[in-house]
PDB file of all heavy atoms in Angstrom:
ATOM      1  N   GLY A1165     -25.955  20.652   4.284  1.00  0.00           N
ATOM      2  CA  GLY A1165     -27.407  20.717   4.106  1.00  0.00           C
ATOM      3  C   GLY A1165     -28.167  20.335   5.315  1.00  0.00           C
ATOM      4  O   GLY A1165     -27.650  19.994   6.392  1.00  0.00           O
ATOM      5  N   SER A1166     -29.467  20.312   5.108  1.00  0.00           N
ATOM      6  CA  SER A1166     -30.431  19.908   6.109  1.00  0.00           C
ATOM      7  C   SER A1166     -31.556  19.183   5.354  1.00  0.00           C
ATOM      8  O   SER A1166     -32.474  19.829   4.807  1.00  0.00           O
ATOM      9  CB  SER A1166     -30.997  21.121   6.861  1.00  0.00           C
ATOM     10  OG  SER A1166     -31.929  20.691   7.862  1.00  0.00           O
ATOM     11  N   ASP A1167     -31.424  17.837   5.186  1.00  0.00           N
ATOM     12  CA  ASP A1167     -32.433  17.072   4.473  1.00  0.00           C
ATOM     13  C   ASP A1167     -32.220  15.617   4.959  1.00  0.00           C
ATOM     14  O   ASP A1167     -31.497  15.303   5.869  1.00  0.00           O
ATOM     15  CB  ASP A1167     -32.369  17.223   2.980  1.00  0.00           C
ATOM     16  CG  ASP A1167     -31.015  16.907   2.356  1.00  0.00           C
ATOM     17  OD1 ASP A1167     -30.113  16.518   3.065  1.00  0.00           O
ATOM     18  OD2 ASP A1167     -30.921  17.052   1.124  1.00  0.00           O
ATOM     19  N   LEU A1180     -28.574   4.601   7.474  1.00  0.00           N
ATOM     20  CA  LEU A1180     -29.499   5.686   7.654  1.00  0.00           C
ATOM     21  C   LEU A1180     -30.472   5.646   6.505  1.00  0.00           C
ATOM     22  O   LEU A1180     -30.051   5.704   5.356  1.00  0.00           O
ATOM     23  CB  LEU A1180     -28.729   7.021   7.689  1.00  0.00           C
ATOM     24  CG  LEU A1180     -29.413   8.150   8.341  1.00  0.00           C
ATOM     25  CD1 LEU A1180     -29.694   7.888   9.838  1.00  0.00           C
ATOM     26  CD2 LEU A1180     -28.593   9.418   8.260  1.00  0.00           C
ATOM     27  N   PRO A1185     -36.064  11.538  10.655  1.00  0.00           N
ATOM     28  CA  PRO A1185     -36.209  12.985  10.442  1.00  0.00           C
ATOM     29  C   PRO A1185     -35.044  13.555   9.608  1.00  0.00           C
ATOM     30  O   PRO A1185     -34.002  12.886   9.455  1.00  0.00           O
ATOM     31  CB  PRO A1185     -36.196  13.559  11.876  1.00  0.00           C
ATOM     32  CG  PRO A1185     -35.596  12.510  12.718  1.00  0.00           C
ATOM     33  CD  PRO A1185     -35.784  11.184  12.038  1.00  0.00           C
ATOM     34  N   ARG A1186     -35.255  14.728   9.116  1.00  0.00           N
ATOM     35  CA  ARG A1186     -34.119  15.359   8.339  1.00  0.00           C
ATOM     36  C   ARG A1186     -32.999  15.664   9.312  1.00  0.00           C
ATOM     37  O   ARG A1186     -33.173  15.873  10.511  1.00  0.00           O
ATOM     38  CB  ARG A1186     -34.583  16.611   7.642  1.00  0.00           C
ATOM     39  CG  ARG A1186     -35.042  17.691   8.539  1.00  0.00           C
ATOM     40  CD  ARG A1186     -35.387  18.970   7.748  1.00  0.00           C
ATOM     41  NE  ARG A1186     -35.901  19.976   8.590  1.00  0.00           N
ATOM     42  CZ  ARG A1186     -35.182  20.684   9.409  1.00  0.00           C
ATOM     43  NH1 ARG A1186     -33.898  20.560   9.476  1.00  0.00           N
ATOM     44  NH2 ARG A1186     -35.761  21.614  10.196  1.00  0.00           N
ATOM     45  N   GLU A1187     -31.788  15.663   8.776  1.00  0.00           N
ATOM     46  CA  GLU A1187     -30.621  15.900   9.557  1.00  0.00           C
ATOM     47  C   GLU A1187     -29.834  17.087   9.036  1.00  0.00           C
ATOM     48  O   GLU A1187     -29.842  17.358   7.873  1.00  0.00           O
ATOM     49  CB  GLU A1187     -29.623  14.701   9.462  1.00  0.00           C
ATOM     50  CG  GLU A1187     -30.254  13.351   9.822  1.00  0.00           C
ATOM     51  CD  GLU A1187     -30.776  12.627   8.598  1.00  0.00           C
ATOM     52  OE1 GLU A1187     -30.357  12.891   7.454  1.00  0.00           O
ATOM     53  OE2 GLU A1187     -31.598  11.732   8.757  1.00  0.00           O
ATOM     54  N   ASP A1188     -29.139  17.746   9.916  1.00  0.00           N
ATOM     55  CA  ASP A1188     -28.225  18.812   9.553  1.00  0.00           C
ATOM     56  C   ASP A1188     -26.861  18.136   9.393  1.00  0.00           C
ATOM     57  O   ASP A1188     -26.429  17.408  10.292  1.00  0.00           O
ATOM     58  CB  ASP A1188     -28.144  19.920  10.620  1.00  0.00           C
ATOM     59  CG  ASP A1188     -29.471  20.592  10.796  1.00  0.00           C
ATOM     60  OD1 ASP A1188     -30.263  20.670   9.863  1.00  0.00           O
ATOM     61  OD2 ASP A1188     -29.723  21.057  11.949  1.00  0.00           O
ATOM     62  N   TYR A1189     -26.170  18.339   8.337  1.00  0.00           N
ATOM     63  CA  TYR A1189     -24.917  17.567   8.034  1.00  0.00           C
ATOM     64  C   TYR A1189     -23.942  18.354   7.227  1.00  0.00           C
ATOM     65  O   TYR A1189     -24.268  19.365   6.569  1.00  0.00           O
ATOM     66  CB  TYR A1189     -25.272  16.263   7.370  1.00  0.00           C
ATOM     67  CG  TYR A1189     -25.838  16.504   5.974  1.00  0.00           C
ATOM     68  CD1 TYR A1189     -25.035  16.551   4.862  1.00  0.00           C
ATOM     69  CD2 TYR A1189     -27.224  16.686   5.803  1.00  0.00           C
ATOM     70  CE1 TYR A1189     -25.570  16.780   3.596  1.00  0.00           C
ATOM     71  CE2 TYR A1189     -27.776  16.913   4.552  1.00  0.00           C
ATOM     72  CZ  TYR A1189     -26.962  16.909   3.487  1.00  0.00           C
ATOM     73  OH  TYR A1189     -27.462  17.186   2.250  1.00  0.00           O
ATOM     74  N   ILE A1190     -22.733  17.785   7.228  1.00  0.00           N
ATOM     75  CA  ILE A1190     -21.704  18.159   6.277  1.00  0.00           C
ATOM     76  C   ILE A1190     -21.084  16.877   5.721  1.00  0.00           C
ATOM     77  O   ILE A1190     -20.948  15.903   6.517  1.00  0.00           O
ATOM     78  CB  ILE A1190     -20.599  19.082   6.920  1.00  0.00           C
ATOM     79  CG1 ILE A1190     -19.589  19.560   5.843  1.00  0.00           C
ATOM     80  CG2 ILE A1190     -19.929  18.349   8.094  1.00  0.00           C
ATOM     81  CD1 ILE A1190     -18.676  20.643   6.331  1.00  0.00           C
ATOM     82  N   TYR A1204     -19.286  11.702   6.645  1.00  0.00           N
ATOM     83  CA  TYR A1204     -20.506  12.472   6.989  1.00  0.00           C
ATOM     84  C   TYR A1204     -20.404  12.807   8.473  1.00  0.00           C
ATOM     85  O   TYR A1204     -19.975  11.997   9.301  1.00  0.00           O
ATOM     86  CB  TYR A1204     -21.741  11.585   6.844  1.00  0.00           C
ATOM     87  CG  TYR A1204     -22.319  11.514   5.452  1.00  0.00           C
ATOM     88  CD1 TYR A1204     -21.939  10.442   4.601  1.00  0.00           C
ATOM     89  CD2 TYR A1204     -23.224  12.419   4.990  1.00  0.00           C
ATOM     90  CE1 TYR A1204     -22.459  10.346   3.353  1.00  0.00           C
ATOM     91  CE2 TYR A1204     -23.753  12.307   3.726  1.00  0.00           C
ATOM     92  CZ  TYR A1204     -23.399  11.288   2.909  1.00  0.00           C
ATOM     93  OH  TYR A1204     -23.924  11.163   1.675  1.00  0.00           O
ATOM     94  N   HIS A1205     -20.782  14.015   8.794  1.00  0.00           N
ATOM     95  CA  HIS A1205     -20.984  14.352  10.184  1.00  0.00           C
ATOM     96  C   HIS A1205     -22.397  14.965  10.259  1.00  0.00           C
ATOM     97  O   HIS A1205     -22.698  15.958   9.599  1.00  0.00           O
ATOM     98  CB  HIS A1205     -19.966  15.371  10.708  1.00  0.00           C
ATOM     99  CG  HIS A1205     -20.146  15.629  12.192  1.00  0.00           C
ATOM    100  ND1 HIS A1205     -20.983  16.620  12.626  1.00  0.00           N
ATOM    101  CD2 HIS A1205     -19.644  15.013  13.260  1.00  0.00           C
ATOM    102  CE1 HIS A1205     -20.927  16.621  13.970  1.00  0.00           C
ATOM    103  NE2 HIS A1205     -20.149  15.658  14.353  1.00  0.00           N
ATOM    104  N   GLU A1206     -23.284  14.322  11.042  1.00  0.00           N
ATOM    105  CA  GLU A1206     -24.654  14.759  11.086  1.00  0.00           C
ATOM    106  C   GLU A1206     -25.086  14.987  12.534  1.00  0.00           C
ATOM    107  O   GLU A1206     -24.613  14.328  13.487  1.00  0.00           O
ATOM    108  CB  GLU A1206     -25.547  13.656  10.518  1.00  0.00           C
ATOM    109  CG  GLU A1206     -25.239  13.348   9.098  1.00  0.00           C
ATOM    110  CD  GLU A1206     -26.246  12.516   8.427  1.00  0.00           C
ATOM    111  OE1 GLU A1206     -27.323  12.243   9.003  1.00  0.00           O
ATOM    112  OE2 GLU A1206     -25.974  12.063   7.288  1.00  0.00           O
ATOM    113  N   LYS A1207     -26.007  15.894  12.709  1.00  0.00           N
ATOM    114  CA  LYS A1207     -26.587  16.182  13.988  1.00  0.00           C
ATOM    115  C   LYS A1207     -27.987  15.570  13.965  1.00  0.00           C
ATOM    116  O   LYS A1207     -28.830  15.924  13.134  1.00  0.00           O
ATOM    117  CB  LYS A1207     -26.701  17.685  14.222  1.00  0.00           C
ATOM    118  CG  LYS A1207     -27.252  18.055  15.600  1.00  0.00           C
ATOM    119  CD  LYS A1207     -27.221  19.560  15.821  1.00  0.00           C
ATOM    120  CE  LYS A1207     -28.320  20.213  15.029  1.00  0.00           C
ATOM    121  NZ  LYS A1207     -28.486  21.641  15.298  1.00  0.00           N
ATOM    122  N   LEU A1208     -28.222  14.611  14.857  1.00  0.00           N
ATOM    123  CA  LEU A1208     -29.482  13.874  14.905  1.00  0.00           C
ATOM    124  C   LEU A1208     -30.276  14.250  16.115  1.00  0.00           C
ATOM    125  O   LEU A1208     -29.732  14.826  17.108  1.00  0.00           O
ATOM    126  CB  LEU A1208     -29.236  12.350  14.957  1.00  0.00           C
ATOM    127  CG  LEU A1208     -28.364  11.809  13.843  1.00  0.00           C
ATOM    128  CD1 LEU A1208     -27.990  10.340  14.147  1.00  0.00           C
ATOM    129  CD2 LEU A1208     -29.071  11.880  12.534  1.00  0.00           C
ATOM    130  N   LEU A1209     -31.571  13.981  16.114  1.00  0.00           N
ATOM    131  CA  LEU A1209     -32.404  14.205  17.274  1.00  0.00           C
ATOM    132  C   LEU A1209     -32.299  13.014  18.211  1.00  0.00           C
ATOM    133  O   LEU A1209     -32.321  11.884  17.772  1.00  0.00           O
ATOM    134  CB  LEU A1209     -33.849  14.392  16.866  1.00  0.00           C
ATOM    135  CG  LEU A1209     -34.136  15.610  15.960  1.00  0.00           C
ATOM    136  CD1 LEU A1209     -35.578  15.676  15.578  1.00  0.00           C
ATOM    137  CD2 LEU A1209     -33.718  16.932  16.694  1.00  0.00           C
ATOM    138  N   GLY A1210     -32.209  13.321  19.516  1.00  0.00           N
ATOM    139  CA  GLY A1210     -32.056  12.235  20.483  1.00  0.00           C
ATOM    140  C   GLY A1210     -33.343  11.987  21.230  1.00  0.00           C
ATOM    141  O   GLY A1210     -34.442  12.130  20.723  1.00  0.00           O
ATOM    142  N   SER A1223     -32.910  16.019  23.138  1.00  0.00           N
ATOM    143  CA  SER A1223     -31.434  16.008  23.200  1.00  0.00           C
ATOM    144  C   SER A1223     -30.877  15.866  21.798  1.00  0.00           C
ATOM    145  O   SER A1223     -31.551  15.374  20.885  1.00  0.00           O
ATOM    146  CB  SER A1223     -30.969  14.918  24.159  1.00  0.00           C
ATOM    147  OG  SER A1223     -31.273  13.666  23.566  1.00  0.00           O
ATOM    148  N   LYS A1224     -29.616  16.226  21.660  1.00  0.00           N
ATOM    149  CA  LYS A1224     -28.951  16.177  20.354  1.00  0.00           C
ATOM    150  C   LYS A1224     -27.934  15.062  20.393  1.00  0.00           C
ATOM    151  O   LYS A1224     -27.269  14.811  21.394  1.00  0.00           O
ATOM    152  CB  LYS A1224     -28.344  17.477  19.982  1.00  0.00           C
ATOM    153  CG  LYS A1224     -29.349  18.538  19.817  1.00  0.00           C
ATOM    154  CD  LYS A1224     -28.714  19.880  19.539  1.00  0.00           C
ATOM    155  CE  LYS A1224     -29.771  20.952  19.477  1.00  0.00           C
ATOM    156  NZ  LYS A1224     -29.336  22.237  19.822  1.00  0.00           N
ATOM    157  N   LYS A1225     -27.790  14.378  19.259  1.00  0.00           N
ATOM    158  CA  LYS A1225     -26.760  13.348  19.081  1.00  0.00           C
ATOM    159  C   LYS A1225     -26.025  13.646  17.840  1.00  0.00           C
ATOM    160  O   LYS A1225     -26.500  14.328  16.960  1.00  0.00           O
ATOM    161  CB  LYS A1225     -27.407  11.949  18.989  1.00  0.00           C
ATOM    162  CG  LYS A1225     -28.157  11.546  20.190  1.00  0.00           C
ATOM    163  CD  LYS A1225     -28.565  10.067  20.102  1.00  0.00           C
ATOM    164  CE  LYS A1225     -29.607   9.805  19.094  1.00  0.00           C
ATOM    165  NZ  LYS A1225     -30.112   8.420  19.137  1.00  0.00           N
ATOM    166  N   ASN A1226     -24.832  13.127  17.756  1.00  0.00           N
ATOM    167  CA  ASN A1226     -24.015  13.271  16.538  1.00  0.00           C
ATOM    168  C   ASN A1226     -23.712  11.932  15.910  1.00  0.00           C
ATOM    169  O   ASN A1226     -23.517  10.953  16.635  1.00  0.00           O
ATOM    170  CB  ASN A1226     -22.691  14.009  16.846  1.00  0.00           C
ATOM    171  CG  ASN A1226     -22.922  15.421  17.262  1.00  0.00           C
ATOM    172  OD1 ASN A1226     -23.493  16.208  16.483  1.00  0.00           O
ATOM    173  ND2 ASN A1226     -22.592  15.798  18.484  1.00  0.00           N
ATOM    174  N   LEU A1227     -23.659  11.956  14.596  1.00  0.00           N
ATOM    175  CA  LEU A1227     -23.263  10.719  13.880  1.00  0.00           C
ATOM    176  C   LEU A1227     -22.083  11.053  12.994  1.00  0.00           C
ATOM    177  O   LEU A1227     -22.125  11.995  12.214  1.00  0.00           O
ATOM    178  CB  LEU A1227     -24.453  10.211  12.999  1.00  0.00           C
ATOM    179  CG  LEU A1227     -24.096   9.145  11.996  1.00  0.00           C
ATOM    180  CD1 LEU A1227     -23.885   7.825  12.686  1.00  0.00           C
ATOM    181  CD2 LEU A1227     -25.208   9.017  10.957  1.00  0.00           C
ATOM    182  N   ALA A1228     -21.044  10.262  13.158  1.00  0.00           N
ATOM    183  CA  ALA A1228     -19.861  10.445  12.249  1.00  0.00           C
ATOM    184  C   ALA A1228     -19.695   9.137  11.473  1.00  0.00           C
ATOM    185  O   ALA A1228     -19.723   8.087  12.007  1.00  0.00           O
ATOM    186  CB  ALA A1228     -18.605  10.737  13.048  1.00  0.00           C
TER     187      ALA A1228
END
Side-chain angles (χ1 to χ4, degrees):
S1166 181
D1167 58 2
L1180 200 63
R1186 65 175 175 76
E1187 307 94 19
D1188 299 331
Y1189 65 91
I1190 184 166
Y1204 278 93
H1205 184 272
E1206 300 191 9
K1207 184 175 75 171
L1208 305 171
L1209 297 177
S1223 65
K1224 296 176 183 153
K1225 297 190 290 187
N1226 292 301
L1227 169 71

